[in-house]
């Protein structure tokens, strides 16, 4: 018997990429002659290296090229080693990757992962393999999956992909394509399968997840209808979803936050900026005021919901006054988590052509924003002390007899309890709040 081939995948960027990397590993496990691939966490041990790349910020393509350059020695030592680039940089750069870095054997865009076994065979045969098309079909349906391998207690599940919003700074509509929702029956089948394999919490993924409109039994579904259908799956205890756009927060979704017990009280709702002038230039089609009213309605439905968001500072033509409006909005919402980024011009997007803010000024604004966000985040975390939460245990902690899991608000919670089991949901009283996590005792 021959040794199974080994696959090393390095994943950059968002949770969608994490999910895609898992699916790619499963697809290659079943491919080719012999046993197919098993995954390894050591590149120097691998028969195939895949970089699953992200193009959303910074000099993404340049980073990929320098990472690829580092594999030169490996490839020289083992000519059989195949190197592939997947994800959004693959989509954006296409053939150019193989021209600039001849050691690359395979380039595959996010819409073509179902063709990975074929592409791998082609690369194995010594040819260059490339696919960055946008087919119409459901790529996940075509990906073969391993039989019923057990899973950890939490999982991601992609329900829609792509985006039609065209925010002026964002590459997603170009790299992931137009918005496509998967049919509900496939999502529900995948969810049931995950639950049979030990999953208790599912996070529904999509670049524009609340624009979900997949086909269901009585016509098109909404995300809220999909959540209610998932709610009926025995053994599934927690549902989350990310990332949402303010304009797609429908009434039924807001109501679900108040009524569906399995839907966790956490909502990632990026606003990007607090100045209407900048929001307009960003093509966000909501105002600061409409966003704040929306947050009020969501909190009316679920008063304890923890809000999280994304911010961009130093967007072209952002003045100090515009930036102040962002700080004001943050003060008013009080985010439990928020991710803030310095604007990075993405080639091919409208904002990349506009007058840029001085980078030193943008850095300074980013620091001020992050200080404010950290203050709120820390305060909200500290307010958990003395409260009872439910914790889904995910893995052992660093100390002996310690378990770590997430509360319903997505705070990491450590519990000292030798009897705690992975996958168990326990009532826990929070006793202290640290820099990035809480400590609690089982009630
Ligand atoms: N520059 C900086 N941040 C960006 N994001 C998206 N595009 C850019 C860009 N060009 C941020 C947004 C988005 C998050 C995923 O990344 O805040 O919500
Ligand atoms: Fe990008 Fe999100 Fe805007 Fe779509 S809604 S263009 S994914 S920032």
């Amino acid at each position: 018997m021959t040794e199974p081939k080994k696959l090393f995948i390095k994943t950059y960027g968002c949770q969608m990429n994490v999910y895609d990397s898992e699916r790619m590993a499963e697809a290659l496990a079943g491919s080719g002659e012999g046993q197919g691939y098993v995954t390894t966490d050591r590149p120097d041990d691998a028969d195939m290296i895949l970089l699953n790349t992200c193009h959303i910020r910074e000099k993404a393509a340049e980073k990929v090229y320098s990472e690829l350059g580092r594999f030169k020695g490996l490839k020289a030592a083992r000519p059989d080693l195949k190197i592939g680039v997947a994800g959004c940089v693959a989509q954006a750069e296409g053939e150019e990757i193989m021209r600039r870095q001849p050691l690359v054997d395979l380039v595959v865009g996010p819409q073509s992962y179902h063709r990975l076994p074929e592409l791998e065979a082609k690369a194995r045969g010594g040819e260059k393999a490339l696919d960055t098309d946008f087919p119409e079909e459901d790529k996940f349906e075509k990906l073969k999956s391993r039989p019923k391998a057990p899973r950890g207690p939490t999982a991601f599940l992609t329900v829609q992909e792509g985006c039609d919003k065209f925010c002026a700074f964002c590459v997603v509509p170009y790299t992931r394509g137009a918005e496509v929702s998967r049919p509900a029956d496939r999502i529900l089948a995948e969810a049931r399968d995950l639950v049979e394999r030990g999953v208790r919490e599912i996070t529904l993924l999509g670049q524009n997840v609340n624009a979900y409109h997949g086909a269901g039994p009585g016509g098109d579904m909404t995300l809220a209808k999909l959540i209610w259908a998932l709610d009926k799956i025995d053994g599934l205890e927690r549902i989350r979803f990310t990332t949402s756009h303010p304009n797609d927060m429908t009434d039924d979704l807001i109501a679900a936050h108040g009524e569906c017990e399995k839907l966790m009280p956490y909502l990632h709702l990026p606003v990007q900026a607090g100045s209407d002038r900048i929001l307009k230039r960003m093509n966000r089609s909501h105002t600061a005021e409409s966003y704040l009213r929306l947050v009020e309605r969501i909190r009316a439905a679920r008063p304890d919901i923890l809000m999280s968001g994304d911010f961009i500072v130093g967007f072209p033509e952002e003045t100090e006054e515009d930036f102040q409006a962002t700080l004001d909005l943050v003060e008013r919402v009080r985010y439990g988590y928020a991710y803030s980024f310095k604007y990075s011009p993405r080639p091919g997007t409208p904002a990349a052509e506009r007058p840029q803010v001085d980078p030193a000024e943008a850095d300074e604004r980013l620091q001020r924003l992050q200080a404010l966000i950290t203050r709120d985040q820390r305060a909200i975390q500290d307010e958990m002390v003395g409260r009872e939460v439910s914790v889904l245990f995910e893995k052992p902690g660093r100390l002996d007899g310690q378990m770590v899991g997430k509360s319903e608000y997505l705070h990491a919670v450590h519990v000292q309890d030798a009897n705690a089991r992975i996958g168990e949901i326990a009532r826990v009283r929070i006793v202290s709040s640290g820099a990035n996590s809480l400590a609690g005792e089982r009630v």
Side-chain angles (χ1 to χ4, degrees):
M1 241 175 71
T2 48
E3 278 275 295
K5 289 175 283 184
K6 296 204 183 82
L7 172 67
F8 171 78
I9 306 187
K10 180 160 178 178
T11 308
Y12 300 82
C14 63
Q15 288 147 334
M16 179 83 71
N17 271 8
V18 175
Y19 176 87
D20 284 352
S21 290
E22 286 172 8
R23 297 292 83 71
M24 287 195 272
E26 288 179 357
L28 288 172
S31 91
E33 336 271 17
Q35 294 99 323
Y37 283 86
V38 296
T39 52
T40 170
D41 45 20
R42 289 180 38 213
D44 51 352
D45 204 28
D47 299 283
M48 166 120 144
I49 294 177
L50 262 184
L51 300 183
N52 191 7
T53 61
C54 170
H55 203 226
I56 198 118
R57 283 176 296 270
E58 323 265 342
K59 300 184 175 49
E62 295 313 311
K63 279 190 198 156
V64 170
Y65 286 115
S66 75
E67 180 81 34
L68 287 168
R70 266 181 254 148
F71 298 136
K72 263 197 188 122
L74 273 184
K75 182 106 174 175
R78 282 190 300 122
D80 275 353
L81 169 66
K82 297 298 166 196
I83 295 180
V85 181
C88 292
V89 173
Q91 189 65 44
E93 296 274 295
E95 261 177 289
E96 177 63 18
I97 297 183
M98 289 163 170
R99 258 198 298 276
R100 266 188 69 179
Q101 186 44 274
L103 62 75
V104 173
D105 304 286
L106 185 159
V107 172
V108 58
Q111 305 312 316
S112 307
Y113 294 154
H114 56 288
R115 292 202 51 221
L116 206 51
E118 266 171 77
L119 295 167
E120 189 273 342
K122 197 168 165 191
R124 227 5 81 224
E127 284 177 72
K128 297 278 183 195
L130 170 89
D131 192 342
T132 51
D133 287 345
F134 279 105
E136 287 294 303
E137 62 219 275
D138 181 343
K139 68 179 187 188
F140 299 113
E141 204 46 35
K142 297 271 177 342
L143 285 177
K144 286 203 206 78
S145 131
R146 247 187 299 233
K148 307 275 177 231
R151 301 269 319 223
T154 64
F156 296 125
L157 203 178
T158 294
V159 303
Q160 71 80 230
E161 236 185 310
C163 179
D164 300 329
K165 298 273 191 305
F166 290 93
C167 297
F169 49 81
C170 185
V171 285
V172 166
Y174 309 94
T175 58
R176 293 275 171 167
E179 203 278 327
V180 180
S181 292
R182 300 178 68 196
D185 56 351
R186 293 187 191 165
I187 294 166
L188 292 166
E190 194 172 326
R192 281 188 216 102
D193 177 67
L194 288 168
V195 171
E196 276 173 34
R197 290 157 69 183
V199 169
R200 307 199 73 192
E201 172 180 306
I202 290 180
T203 302
L204 306 175
L205 289 183
Q207 269 95 21
N208 229 298
V209 71
N210 58 341
Y212 177 78
H213 60 94
D220 271 11
M221 305 271 283
T222 59
L223 184 66
K225 282 194 183 133
L226 182 66
I227 288 168
W228 282 112
L230 288 161
D231 179 70
K232 296 198 183 71
I233 298 179
D234 276 343
L236 177 63
E237 305 297 341
R238 292 173 152 198
I239 304 167
R240 304 180 186 275
F241 59 90
T242 196
T243 291
S244 298
H245 191 286
N247 290 8
D248 294 314
M249 279 311 290
T250 51
D251 292 344
D252 61 350
L253 188 54
I254 295 174
H257 271 292
E259 292 161 7
C260 179
E261 275 182 33
K262 292 186 182 177
L263 185 57
M264 293 292 102
Y266 178 100
L267 180 64
H268 184 60
L269 193 66
V271 62
Q272 312 296 357
S275 146
D276 289 343
R277 199 179 73 92
I278 293 298
L279 286 169
K280 195 155 187 190
R281 282 172 160 70
M282 285 178 165
N283 193 30
R284 288 289 295 179
S285 59
H286 59 76
T287 62
E289 208 41 56
S290 71
Y291 179 86
L292 288 165
R293 274 202 309 274
L294 178 61
V295 172
E296 244 169 57
R297 286 173 54 218
I298 296 162
R299 285 193 167 138
R302 180 78 203 224
D304 63 336
I305 200 160
L306 191 140
M307 294 298 302
S308 100
D310 288 346
F311 293 90
I312 295 178
V313 304
F315 186 79
E317 300 169 84
E318 183 190 69
T319 62
E320 174 60 26
E321 198 186 337
D322 292 318
F323 176 65
Q324 272 301 332
T326 297
L327 296 179
D328 289 347
L329 182 139
V330 171
E331 293 264 10
R332 287 176 67 185
V333 174
R334 254 188 126 228
Y335 289 93
Y337 285 101
Y339 307 88
S340 46
F341 313 101
K342 188 164 91 162
Y343 171 69
S344 144
R346 310 282 66 219
T349 59
E353 313 300 323
R354 300 190 195 145
Q356 304 293 315
V357 169
D358 170 40
E361 182 73 41
D363 277 330
E364 193 258 348
R365 285 180 196 162
L366 185 63
Q367 278 182 22
R368 281 155 68 199
L369 176 60
Q370 288 181 341
L372 182 61
I373 289 168
T374 308
R375 184 200 72 186
D376 286 347
Q377 185 171 322
R378 197 55 210 261
I380 288 171
Q381 213 185 282
D382 292 348
E383 285 161 19
M384 300 305 295
V385 176
R387 279 184 58 180
E388 235 183 70
V389 296
S390 76
V391 177
L392 169 57
F393 293 132
E394 289 178 25
K395 56 178 186 221
R398 259 181 293 143
L399 305 180
D400 226 22
Q402 192 184 53
M403 269 291 188
V404 193
K406 298 273 165 56
S407 78
E408 45 287 58
Y409 308 102
L410 215 55
H411 286 127
V413 181
H414 296 257
V415 175
Q416 200 62 42
D417 179 354
N419 297 322
R421 287 172 300 107
I422 289 174
E424 180 187 357
I425 297 176
R427 295 299 293 169
V428 167
R429 179 167 292 106
I430 302 301
V431 294
S432 70
S433 164
N436 295 307
S437 65
L438 298 166
E441 285 165 358
R442 198 195 271 270
V443 183

